[in-house]
Amino acid sequence: MKIHLQTPEDIRPQIWKELGRASLDRHHEWRTPVLASIDADGLPDARTVVLRQVDVGAGLLTFYTDSRSPKVAQLQAQGAAMLVFWSARLSWQLRVRVTCSVITSGPEVEALWQGVKQSAAAGDYLSPLAPGAVLPHGSRSAGADAAHAPTSTHSFAVLRAQVLQMDWLELSRQGHRRAQLSANTWEWLTP
Ligand SMILES: Cc1cc2nc3c(=O)[nH]c(=O)nc-3n(C[C@H](O)[C@H](O)[C@H](O)COP(=O)(O)O)c2cc1C
């Protein structure tokens, strides 16, 4: 049975609890939000990413990516971005306004890479081809092979999103509810 949370004091920690769970549970629907950014022409771009870590105290969400992927250049030029989460189980949509920073080197990246490089995802960060690089015409499999030929250097990078504001929407037969919240503000909105 769904617990009907009433007050901002109940709902706010529950939102963060669900985010924390999503970073640990591969089956949680909030595990794979959409990250929207702005490209060099000022046009919107968006893609699915995996939520890897949540720091409730600091209001930080962490993702892994390839430092050569277009989103990295976009976020380095314009850190303002948006994450959108939807959970059918909770009937909750969460839109999170964030400022992103990309960490491409240093002890934190290397420490996390030690774990990632043992995993099935390691090849994603060892490809000699950058994500989005055009493959030679008619050589899909050869391209795919080349893409998975390991190189000695990795392109693993950590994407850190500082949460600025959230827009929470709950769909319910008893009446939808929506609120805009930041670290120390809460405003009920018309859904
Ligand atoms: C379920 C799913 C999870 C994904 N997780 C990630 C991820 O954690 N990091 C990432 O960089 N790309 C991830 N991708 C791939 C991106 O959606 C995207 O295709 C790729 O990163 C290139 O994006 P860009 O061209 O905007 O940089 C995922 C795709 C899917 C379908």
Side-chain angles (χ1 to χ4, degrees):
M1 209 184 84
K2 269 183 197 167
I3 312 155
H4 196 66
L5 302 161
Q6 291 296 350
T7 67
E9 290 71 31
D10 292 333
I11 300 167
R12 185 198 300 276
Q14 194 61 35
I15 292 171
W16 280 100
K17 203 171 183 177
E18 294 294 344
L19 286 170
R21 284 180 182 159
S23 71
L24 303 170
D25 176 2
R26 57 172 57 232
H27 301 296
H28 196 295
E29 293 161 300
W30 278 6
R31 175 85 167 169
T32 48
V34 171
L35 169 69
S37 56
I38 298 167
D39 76 9
D41 298 319
L43 297 171
D45 203 351
R47 76 292 289 160
T48 311
V49 285
V50 176
L51 179 61
R52 300 288 181 177
Q53 287 170 24
V54 173
D55 182 332
V56 181
L60 290 172
L61 307 177
T62 300
F63 305 87
Y64 299 163
T65 194
D66 187 306
S67 59
R68 301 165 302 174
S69 68
K71 75 179 85 50
V72 167
Q74 291 172 11
L75 293 167
Q76 283 170 335
Q78 171 57 273
M82 192 88 169
L83 285 156
V84 184
F85 301 79
W86 160 245
S87 166
R89 177 178 63 85
L90 297 164
S91 288
W92 284 6
Q93 172 185 256
L94 189 68
R95 298 154 74 193
V96 187
R97 199 168 285 287
V98 294
T99 305
C100 290
S101 51
V102 187
I103 312 154
T104 55
S105 61
E108 187 186 2
V109 170
E110 291 315 315
L112 288 170
W113 172 243
Q114 291 312 309
V116 173
K117 83 173 187 191
Q118 320 284 345
S119 75
D124 298 347
Y125 303 101
L126 291 167
S127 157
L129 302 173
V134 176
L135 295 172
H137 183 68
S139 60
R140 187 168 172 268
S141 58
D145 287 348
H148 290 100
T151 56
S152 55
T153 54
H154 70 78
S155 307
F156 175 75
V158 175
L159 209 160
R160 187 136 292 150
Q162 174 72 60
V163 174
L164 303 176
Q165 200 172 57
M166 292 177 170
D167 183 311
W168 171 81
L169 172 69
E170 179 185 64
L171 300 182
S172 165
R173 285 204 196 100
Q174 285 84 53
H176 307 326
R177 294 188 299 173
R178 181 177 171 194
Q180 194 167 76
L181 54 145
S182 66
N184 40 31
T185 65
W186 184 283
E187 218 173 9
W188 291 106
L189 302 180
T190 307

